[in-house]
């Protein structure tokens, strides 16, 4: 039975995240360290090949594609963007500690969201609808392999919703330049909307 493999890769490091800032839709580039770390991973490990490459429109993901998959033009999907943190974009937990809704939001209270930002429910709905369209597109076109370069929040959310074995979003956190490969069987996907998470990426190259 034909199966479909989708490989999720988190973009390289950005300086703002290293400094503890919330960076969602703010369009920042990879840091110089982030670029070097990706190049090192690409030289010492093996990223999966795929005929189809999808990417978030934000520069840090496009630049990651250019380093790992040089010369391959990604299909840019707006819905692969990170969560919109609204007025909290660029601020740290220390900056926000006195905001009345911040601690509630951190604890997972779905009744609050960043001012002028995106709620967790809206974010989850957005990325799930997008992912279902990507899977359905692969099945309809017959492409059995695809790479998705996106953000940590997107990967954690999709793994928590569709991944097996089941785990909470924070358990799917991954470092920059790393991610997961999943396998989708059409019958199981159409019936249960579930996928098998079968490895972490990139793979180390055996000497």
């Amino acid at each position: 039975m034909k199966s479909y493999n989708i490989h999720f890769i988190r973009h390289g490091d950005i300086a703002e995240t290293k400094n503890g800032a919330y960076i969602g839709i703010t369009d920042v580039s990879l840091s110089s360290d982030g670029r070097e770390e990706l190049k090192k991973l690409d030289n010492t490990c093996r990223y999966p090949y795929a005929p189809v490459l999808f990417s978030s429109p934000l520069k840090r993901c496009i630049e990651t594609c250019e380093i790992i998959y040089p010369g391959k033009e990604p299909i840019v999907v707006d819905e692969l963007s990170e969560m919109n943190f609204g007025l909290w974009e660029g601020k740290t937990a220390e900056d926000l500690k006195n905001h009345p809704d911040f601690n509630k939001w951190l604890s997972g209270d779905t009744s609050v969201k960043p001012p002028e930002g995106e709620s967790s429910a809206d974010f989850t709905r957005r990325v799930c609808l997008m992912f279902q369209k990507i899977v359905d597109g692969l099945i309809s076109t017959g492409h059995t392999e695809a790479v998705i370069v996106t953000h940590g929040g997107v990967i954690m959310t999709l793994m928590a919703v569709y991944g097996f074995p089941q785990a909470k979003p924070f358990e799917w956190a991954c470092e920059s330049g790393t991610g997961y490969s999943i396998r989708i069987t059409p019958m199981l996907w159409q019936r249960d909307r579930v996928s098998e998470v079968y490895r972490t990426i990139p793979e180390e190259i055996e000497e």
Side-chain angles (χ1 to χ4, degrees):
M1 180 181 294
K2 182 183 285 188
S3 61
Y4 298 82
N5 299 303
I6 299 177
H7 314 285
F8 290 94
I9 301 171
R10 184 184 177 191
H11 63 76
D13 273 336
I14 56 176
E16 291 80 1
T17 298
K18 286 289 189 182
N19 294 331
Y22 285 96
I23 302 296
I25 63 168
T26 303
D27 202 8
V28 296
S29 291
L30 297 175
S31 66
S32 57
D33 286 345
R35 289 177 178 275
E36 291 307 312
E37 288 167 2
L38 281 176
K39 291 175 183 177
K40 182 178 179 180
L41 279 173
D42 193 34
N43 287 331
T44 58
C45 301
R46 182 182 296 108
Y47 282 101
Y49 168 78
V52 184
L53 174 63
F54 296 97
S55 176
S56 158
L58 300 180
K59 285 186 288 190
R60 55 195 186 269
C61 290
I62 299 295
E63 291 167 355
T64 297
C65 290
E66 292 170 351
I67 293 170
I68 300 176
Y69 298 100
K72 189 163 186 63
E73 190 72 24
I75 299 170
V76 175
V77 180
D78 289 344
E79 291 82 2
L80 283 171
S81 295
E82 184 60 283
M83 178 182 281
N84 180 355
F85 294 117
L87 297 182
W88 294 350
E89 290 271 343
K91 293 182 169 57
T92 66
E94 180 66 22
D95 296 330
L96 297 168
K97 65 182 181 181
N98 295 322
H99 192 286
D101 287 334
F102 180 65
N103 288 326
K104 292 181 182 178
W105 178 76
L106 272 186
S107 68
D109 187 337
T110 56
S111 68
V112 299
K113 67 176 184 177
E116 299 183 21
E118 192 172 23
S119 71
S120 295
D122 286 343
F123 173 69
T124 299
R125 186 179 304 109
R126 163 166 68 83
V127 299
C128 287
L129 287 173
M130 168 276 305
F131 183 62
Q132 290 182 25
K133 288 179 181 178
I134 286 177
V135 174
D136 291 344
L138 292 176
I139 293 173
S140 66
T141 60
H143 288 298
T144 58
E145 300 270 344
V147 170
I148 296 176
V149 177
T150 185
H151 308 268
V154 175
I155 295 173
M156 289 191 293
T157 298
L158 292 177
M159 293 297 98
V161 172
Y162 299 113
F164 184 84
Q166 293 182 324
K168 295 184 181 300
F170 68 87
E171 296 180 86
W172 292 111
C174 55
E175 298 294 326
S176 299
T178 71
Y180 303 98
S181 292
I182 66 171
R183 182 179 293 113
I184 291 175
T185 304
M187 184 179 297
L188 189 60
W189 175 256
Q190 291 166 9
R191 187 185 70 191
D192 298 323
R193 287 290 191 261
V194 67
S195 63
E196 173 198 359
V197 185
Y198 66 91
R199 69 179 177 188
T200 58
I201 50 177
E203 295 181 290
E204 291 188 9
I205 299 175
E206 297 182 3
E207 295 183 357

